[in-house]
Structures are given as structure tokens and as C-alpha cells.
Amino acid sequence: MTTAATEIATYNFAYLDEQTKRMIRRAILKGIAIPGYQVPFASREMPMPYGWGTGGVQVTAAIIGPDDVLKVIDQGADDTTNAVSIRAFFQKVADVAVTTETAKATIIQTRHRIPEHPLTAGQTLVYQVPIPEPLRFLEPRETETRKMHALEEYGLMHVKLYEDIARHGRIATTYAYPVKVEGRYVMDPSPTPKFDNPKMHMSPALQLFGAGREKRIYAVPPFTRVVSLDFEDHPFEIQTFDQPCALCGAEQVYLDEVILDDKGGHMFVCSDTDHCEKRQACGHRGHLAPEALEPAQ
Amino acid sequence: MTDEPLLRVTALSKYYGSRIGCEDISFDLWPGEVLAVVGESGSGKTTLLNCLATRLLPTSGTASYRMRDNQWRDLYRMSEAERRFLMRTDWGFVHQNPADGLRMTVSAGANVGERLMAIGDRHYGNIRSTAVDWLGRVEIDEERIDDEPRAFSGGMRQRLQIARNLVTGPRLVFMDEPTGGLDVSVQARLLDLLRGLVTDLGLAAIVVTHDLAVARLLSQRMMVMKDGHVVESGLTDRVLDDPRAPYTQLLVSSILQV
């Protein structure tokens, strides 16, 4: 900050002006007060295209302080384009400390995953949300879906699950799996795999959701009930994998398929790169792991 | 039958600006009774139906409905939540164009099951067997349960719409030209089916139609409308066999004889 003060013109702390941040904070507070309710807010243009996490970035910009430690993940990985560029953005405009370690972060901005390492009280998870409205593809009229939320008319959500079972013999929705928050609002948990839905339930961390293009913010406060919708005779299930991570041997984690060659070779590895590296550093090995770790750069 | 009506309409009027939609309409509807509202295009019959089904708010007048617990409720003073609940449980609305009343992108089974899920049924097996049962009652082959209504013919769509409305066992069904846009033989089959269902279930219904044959086949009582007013009402057979108002006489005599 001392160097910034000497320059003639610079960005305001965390890019957004203070009035905008207050506006977003008000929306966040309202969202926390009404868990799962989509609060409209005046989403700003951000220096990145829609679909790249403009909603999440605005939420992060509104809540971040100079003492925060930021972690950004994209599909669980800290090293992909989206994660790297958003991390670099906040380093530049807010000069905050960044980390890839889940346990050390105070704010974790995520695209489509909840870290494997359990979150703790005091941490905030910020989701980038493309489509906040869980009823969107069943009822395209926004006036109607708002009314359905207001009157708690959620039968239509089960029509979607019914269709899944009728077509596939089971609930085939694997991501953006609808949840009911604190027994009231049905919420789209953003395109996280349904594997992560149980982690939202009674989480000690604060969960904030920002949809930039759709101009909506919603929230799940700590220790809130988050229940995945299902049928009595087709209960909610998470994905299971029949082999452990090929690099760290972890089980009961969410795995990504990685194509190795053009002859059908593939492996399943942890989607959470931080979790995988931590385990490898502790000596865990999967069947495709290198014998010794390359020295850290 | 009870000794109290199901629906009581008093001096109902709807104006579109200075133009009349319908004016000063009063009638009682009894449980299990089918009332036909006939008249030419623009006579205000659909406006009346939409007011009764609370899809439109009337300019003046009242309509009260006797709920299942025998409490009388003013339809236009109910909260929106109550009204919508009533519409998807105790009422049905059959649109002229089935695409307006169906969800065209979900399967026939889900279309029938939607109301059940809306009132809290959470057992897939039960929902599906109810859907199978209802498809059978409206003569749709069970094999078509997972097909979308887009793949159905016009007559099948209309029958599916009827099944979707009747699955919660409503006491009152509104129908807006239920046989419009269907060819004569399909119309006949649909009317036959409707007549059977209405009798079996003891439904009360208000059927808007310009087709006097539909009124003759389905209804016990009818109202003839012209320019927003009721010009004649009475038992269907009486009105059709012995029309009194000049307009009704004209209407009855203009039926094409083949």
C-alpha cells in the first residue's frame, strides 16, 4: 500500500469502488439473513468476460481485507487458467497474500468444487455461479420462478428428478444438484458435482454464491441445513469411484479422468490438486505416481 | 348431492377500459353439475371463465367457493398462495390448446405426476403407477408414458391434459373449448371420454364452447352469452329445444345440418 500511495493513479483496494462494495455487502448480508434466497444486486462490469467468474470476483472483492489469505480453485485445481488469473488479479489490485493450501486460506473462491480438506469456522467459500435459478430450464419465466420461490412451490423440481429416473432408471443429475436450504428455499449449488453436496450441510464455513451475469447473490450461513432433494424410493447418492487416485492413492475423494495417450490410456486423479500434493508429500502413492517427487520449484 | 352450491357468482363484471368483457353475471353452480357457456366469438365467455378461474380479476362482483371443509371463501380475497394451491388441487383448467396446459418438454408421466409432486408426493413408484392408471383412463397406451407430448397427436395431447388435471381428484374443472381444433371423430371420442369421467368422478365443470353439440352432450345447464351479457340460461335441453331469446333462436337455427 505504501508504494501505491506514491503513484498518481491506482485502483481502489480490491478494484471496486467503496460504494459498490457496500452495495454488494448489503446484498450478501441479506442473503445470509435469508439462506438460499437469491438477492438481486447491481452487478458491475469486471475486467474479465462473463462466465469467467465475475460474480464470484465481485463477492470476493467486497469481502476481502488486507489481512486475508486468498485461495482460488477451478474444478479443484489451483493451477488452471481461471484460478491463476483471478489469483493474479487480486494480488495486483488488493495486494493480499495468496496460497494454494486450503487450511491456510481465509477466503477460497471456487469454480465447481468444495475442497476435500474440511473447512473450518472463519473460512469463507465464494462460488462462481453461472445460473443461479434451479428452476430455469423447467420454467423459463423469471416472474413465475420468483413467485414459485416466494410461495414455496417446488413440485416442479421433483418433475426434473422424475424425468431422470424415467429416462435413466436413476437420478442422473450429477452436478448442479438441487438442494433445500434450512427447510425453505430450493437452491442451485452452482455446477459443483453432487459429490460435494453433503459438504455443504452444516458446514462451519460461510458459503457465498455470486452470479455476475444473472446479477444474483445468495448465501448459506455456517451450520445451516442443506438437504439434497430426492424420492423416498430413489434416495440421494453421491458418485463413487471404483479405483483410488492414480497419483496419491486417495479414496472417497472426487476424481477427474485424465487422458494419457491416443490409445485409450487414462487415469483417475484427485480433482483437488492441493489435497493430492499434500498426500503425496506425506508419502502416499498411487499406482501411476512417480517414484520420487520432483523437487519443488 | 348436498343442498348447498359449490360456486356462487354474484353480479360479476369485467371491463377492459370502457369496453365490456362481461357484465352483471350471476349464477350458482352445484356439485356434480356441468354448466356450458355458449356464444359467438367475442361474447365474453372466455373472459367470464378466466375471471372465475382467478386468472383475471373482475372489475366488480364476487364469486365464492365452498372449500372441502364447507367453508365459503371469496375467490378474490384469498391470498395468491391459497388461490394457486386451490388451482392445483381442487380445481382443473383444460385449455383449448393443449400446449398451454402441458409441459411439452417433459414426459407424459411427469406431466400427470406434476400435481402429485406439487402437493408433496415423494415416492417415485407411487407417482408412476398413478400416472399409468390415469393414462389408461384417458385411453393413452401405457407404453407412451415416457414420450414427450410433442410426439402426441392433438387428440392424445388433449386427453393427456385432462388426465393431468384430474389426477388430484378436483371438484371443479374449467374447460375452454376442450374440443376446439380437433377433427370430428376425435371430438366425438373425447366427448365420450369426458362425459364418462365427469359422471364417474362427480365433477362439477364449467365448459366454454361455441359448439352447441358439445353443450348438448356434456352439460345439464347452459348459459347463452352475447356482447358480454347472459341472454338466456336454463336446462340445456330446454334451451336448445325451445329457445326463447331471439339470439338463441338464431344460434340454434344456424347449426349446419348434414
Side-chain angles (χ1 to χ4, degrees):
Chain A
M1 291 304 281
T2 47
T3 52
T6 60
E7 286 170 24
I8 298 167
T10 182
Y11 288 115
N12 188 34
F13 179 75
Y15 186 75
L16 294 172
D17 62 272
E18 294 304 316
Q19 285 302 319
T20 300
K21 285 198 271 184
R22 284 182 62 182
M23 175 271 293
I24 295 173
R25 284 175 202 145
R26 273 198 288 263
I28 292 172
L29 287 174
K30 189 170 179 182
I32 293 170
I34 317 171
Y37 171 70
Q38 299 167 41
V39 185
F41 80 110
S43 176
R44 298 289 194 254
E45 292 275 347
M46 295 302 281
M48 61 187 72
Y50 286 132
W52 281 59
T54 54
V57 167
Q58 288 178 76
V59 169
T60 302
I63 61 170
I64 202 164
D67 301 331
D68 273 312
V69 182
L70 180 70
K71 169 181 163 83
V72 185
I73 51 173
D74 172 9
Q75 310 276 5
D78 294 279
D79 53 3
T80 51
T81 315
N82 195 246
V84 170
S85 57
I86 291 174
R87 200 160 51 222
F89 174 75
F90 279 110
Q91 275 180 301
K92 183 172 181 183
V93 300
D95 195 27
V96 292
V98 295
T99 182
T100 59
E101 285 181 55
T102 304
K104 286 188 182 161
T106 55
I107 298 175
I108 302 168
Q109 183 170 332
T110 174
R111 175 168 176 262
H112 310 176
R113 272 314 307 283
I114 298 174
E116 304 290 357
H117 189 280
L119 299 177
T120 53
Q123 288 186 305
T124 304
L125 194 57
V126 178
Y127 295 76
Q128 304 169 195
V129 180
I131 295 167
E133 179 51 71
L135 301 160
R136 170 68 51 86
F137 293 108
L138 299 148
E139 176 53 70
R141 289 169 295 178
E142 185 83 2
T143 48
E144 183 69 13
T145 54
R146 274 196 230 174
K147 198 165 277 178
M148 291 161 85
H149 282 293
L151 302 177
E152 220 178 330
E153 289 180 6
Y154 290 129
L156 196 54
M157 210 65 249
H158 274 84
V159 170
K160 177 177 156 54
L161 302 180
Y162 172 98
E163 281 293 276
D164 265 7
I165 304 173
R167 276 172 214 278
H168 307 286
R170 64 195 160 81
I171 298 178
T173 303
T174 51
Y175 65 95
Y177 192 103
V179 293
K180 194 164 211 175
V181 182
E182 202 61 19
R184 176 59 179 86
Y185 282 95
V186 165
M187 184 186 91
D188 185 338
S190 92
T192 48
K194 66 178 174 182
F195 182 88
D196 287 338
N197 275 16
K199 294 182 198 164
M200 306 178 81
H201 178 63
M202 287 297 179
S203 168
L206 170 65
Q207 303 175 71
L208 302 175
F209 300 76
R213 180 175 40 204
E214 303 278 329
K215 302 180 170 56
R216 292 290 184 279
I217 284 173
Y218 49 106
V220 175
F223 302 107
T224 301
R225 282 178 288 134
V226 178
V227 180
S228 304
L229 300 181
D230 59 3
F231 283 104
E232 287 160 16
D233 48 347
H234 286 267
F236 172 75
E237 286 171 342
I238 59 170
Q239 293 102 330
T240 52
F241 299 90
D242 45 14
Q243 47 188 307
C245 170
L247 294 179
C248 76
E251 290 175 11
Q252 269 107 48
V253 295
Y254 193 75
L255 302 181
D256 283 340
E257 185 181 8
V258 176
I259 306 292
L260 296 176
D261 51 35
D262 59 359
K263 299 178 185 67
H266 63 111
M267 64 174 181
F268 284 92
V269 295
C270 286
S271 125
D272 186 338
T273 52
D274 171 57
H275 182 74
C276 199
E277 282 162 14
K278 282 271 169 9
R279 278 180 56 87
Q280 290 182 64
C282 293
H284 295 282
R285 285 286 179 277
H287 70 281
L288 286 176
E291 286 309 310
L293 268 188
E294 292 154 27
Q297 289 164 5
Chain B
M1 268 201 202
T2 56
D3 49 2
E4 270 199 299
L6 191 63
L7 180 72
R8 201 170 256 163
V9 182
T10 320
L12 199 73
S13 302
K14 170 76 187 173
Y15 300 97
Y16 298 105
S18 58
R19 257 173 295 132
I20 297 173
C22 60
E23 194 172 51
D24 197 23
I25 311 245
S26 303
F27 67 92
D28 287 351
L29 184 77
W30 297 76
E33 180 186 42
V34 180
L35 173 73
V37 182
V38 301
E40 61 193 16
S41 296
S43 61
K45 50 193 197 308
T46 300
T47 298
L48 173 64
L49 190 78
N50 283 335
C51 284
L52 295 176
T54 67
R55 295 158 58 84
L56 272 179
L57 271 185
T59 316
S60 64
T62 58
S64 8
Y65 181 72
R66 187 162 56 81
M67 310 290 280
R68 288 190 190 218
D69 57 3
N70 277 324
Q71 295 290 312
W72 282 93
R73 297 294 306 275
D74 184 340
L75 291 180
Y76 309 120
R77 287 173 192 276
M78 288 168 107
S79 72
E80 190 171 21
E82 288 176 296
R83 236 174 15 224
R84 286 170 66 111
F85 183 75
L86 192 66
M87 285 182 89
R88 62 174 193 265
T89 52
D90 214 20
W91 286 5
F93 197 104
V94 177
H95 295 261
Q96 174 173 10
N97 179 5
D100 295 339
L102 292 172
R103 289 197 189 277
M104 298 303 278
T105 51
V106 303
S107 69
N111 263 294
V112 177
E114 181 180 341
R115 275 176 164 232
L116 295 173
M117 293 182 249
I119 56 171
D121 201 328
R122 295 285 178 268
H123 191 284
Y124 174 81
N126 293 351
I127 294 167
R128 193 163 172 90
S129 56
T130 311
V132 168
D133 176 47
W134 267 101
L135 290 182
R137 288 166 87 161
V138 297
E139 298 167 18
I140 294 175
D141 193 354
E142 190 188 323
E143 281 178 17
R144 306 295 303 268
I145 187 167
D146 292 331
D147 290 352
E148 290 178 9
R150 283 190 293 207
F152 285 10
S153 69
M156 281 172 80
R157 287 181 191 184
Q158 197 56 285
R159 294 204 299 276
L160 180 64
Q161 196 193 176
I162 289 163
R164 170 182 160 91
N165 273 287
L166 297 188
V167 68
T168 48
R171 294 189 302 161
L172 174 59
V173 179
F174 301 96
M175 298 188 209
D176 188 6
E177 305 276 6
T179 58
L182 301 177
D183 67 57
V184 194
S185 59
V186 175
Q187 251 187 49
R189 198 166 150 213
L190 187 76
L191 283 173
D192 200 36
L193 179 87
L194 266 178
R195 197 156 60 150
L197 286 172
V198 165
T199 327
D200 289 351
L201 303 168
L203 286 176
I206 297 177
V207 184
V208 160
T209 179
H210 57 255
D211 187 341
L212 293 177
V214 171
R216 171 84 94 176
L217 277 170
L218 281 180
S219 69
Q220 288 102 36
R221 213 149 55 88
M222 66 188 279
M223 295 198 308
V224 182
M225 289 186 72
K226 172 132 177 50
D227 299 333
H229 294 91
V230 174
V231 295
E232 184 164 4
S233 63
L235 294 176
T236 304
D237 290 342
R238 202 281 293 156
V239 173
L240 290 179
D241 294 342
D242 178 22
R244 287 175 195 169
Y247 175 71
T248 320
Q249 292 170 355
L250 181 76
L251 201 66
V252 171
S253 63
S254 58
I255 298 174
L256 285 178
Q257 303 291 336
V258 188

